[in-house]
Amino acid sequence: MADALGTRWAAAGHDLMVAGRTAGKAQALARKWGGRAGSFKEVAEFGDIALIAVLYQGMATTLAEIGDALHGKPIVDCNNPVEIENFTLVTEPRRSMAQDIEQATGGHVVKAFNLCHARVWQLKPPTFDGRRLVVPYCGSHPGAQEMTRHLIADIGGEPLPIGDLQQAHHLEAMAAIVISLLFGGRDPHTVFNLVDRATVTTNT
Ligand SMILES: NC(=O)c1ccc[n+]([C@@H]2O[C@H](COP(=O)([O-])OP(=O)(O)OC[C@H]3O[C@@H](n4cnc5c(N)ncnc54)[C@H](OP(=O)(O)O)[C@@H]3O)[C@@H](O)[C@H]2O)c1
């Protein structure tokens, strides 16, 4: 996800810095973007806004390494806390990973970009049948929401605010369904994208 989104943001003119547990991978991304690699703390301190893109198994370790370096900063959370045996959420009931990240970092978290596969975020731009991809996002801090809105627009998506961070667990639950469809070889479009084309008729 860092590769897919970062590559599009670099192309849109953003200066990027990247960290990861495998330094070589972070350095390769930095070279690709013409940016820099560093430690989690250095990257957190560098940016006006940070994307956290880590598998849920590594989230606690990564957040511990970041410490309070993102305190008060906008954070985009694209993560899906979904295990892929039964496709269920690994978070506490009624609690989202977005809220956990906010609590751990003291940053202003916006949930976004979690519903589509990384390949979709690589599209230049993500349009389907001439229609722009709609990207739902939610957060409780107006400044962080505004910056996220710009980041969505920068990759050619249509930003759709859906409320405060309380809504994040809905986006994470939706992702659990989408991931189960993708792993099952089903096309999520057939589940989610037919509403505006449907003609509702009743014949009694
Ligand atoms: N891939 C998608 O299509 C997609 C779409 C939407 C949302 N997401 C979400 O976005 C996030 C990133 O996904 P991704 O596909 O970009 O993941 P990824 O490339 O497999 O891994 C992202 C980062 O997580 C690190 N990581 C993985 N396991 C770890 C562990 N146990 N401890 C510490 N670090 C660990 C990886 O380190 P290494 O490189 O060293 O393994 C890498 O730096 C996930 O939360 C995922 O649910 C993914």
Side-chain angles (χ1 to χ4, degrees), residues 1 5 8-9 51 76-78 110-117 120-123 125-128 131-139 144-163 171 174 193:
M1 285 294 280
L5 290 168
R8 300 295 321 285
W9 289 330
L51 169 75
V76 176
D77 162 28
C78 71
V110 179
K111 188 97 205 174
F113 301 106
N114 70 313
L115 291 181
C116 293
H117 193 275
V120 172
W121 305 118
Q122 290 170 337
L123 297 174
T127 51
F128 302 90
R131 299 183 300 175
R132 274 201 299 166
L133 178 72
V134 174
V135 183
Y137 66 100
C138 64
Q145 282 184 291
E146 181 62 10
M147 290 177 86
T148 305
R149 191 179 70 76
H150 279 288
L151 290 175
I152 293 168
D154 283 343
I155 62 142
E158 183 179 329
L160 177 68
I162 60 161
L171 287 181
M174 274 180 80
N193 270 2

Side-chain angles (χ1 to χ4, degrees), residues 1 21-22 25 53-55 57-58 78-80 114 116-118:
M1 285 294 280
R21 71 168 172 178
T22 309
K25 284 189 182 177
V54 176
L55 294 191
Q57 296 91 332
C78 71
N79 301 286
N80 286 319
N114 70 313
C116 293
H117 193 275

Side-chain angles (χ1 to χ4, degrees), residues 52 56 59 76-83 87-102 109-115 136 138 162 165-180 192:
I52 297 182
Y56 73 81
M59 189 59 78
V76 176
D77 162 28
C78 71
N79 301 286
N80 286 319
V82 178
E83 55 79 20
F87 304 103
T88 56
L89 295 168
V90 298
T91 41
E92 294 295 316
R94 306 175 69 82
R95 175 91 185 163
S96 64
M97 175 170 269
Q99 291 167 305
D100 289 344
I101 293 173
E102 185 156 84
V109 174
V110 179
K111 188 97 205 174
F113 301 106
N114 70 313
L115 291 181
C138 64
I162 60 161
L165 206 62
Q166 299 285 339
Q167 301 301 321
H169 81 274
H170 294 134
L171 287 181
E172 293 176 3
M174 274 180 80
I177 303 293
V178 171
I179 293 167
S180 74
F192 288 111

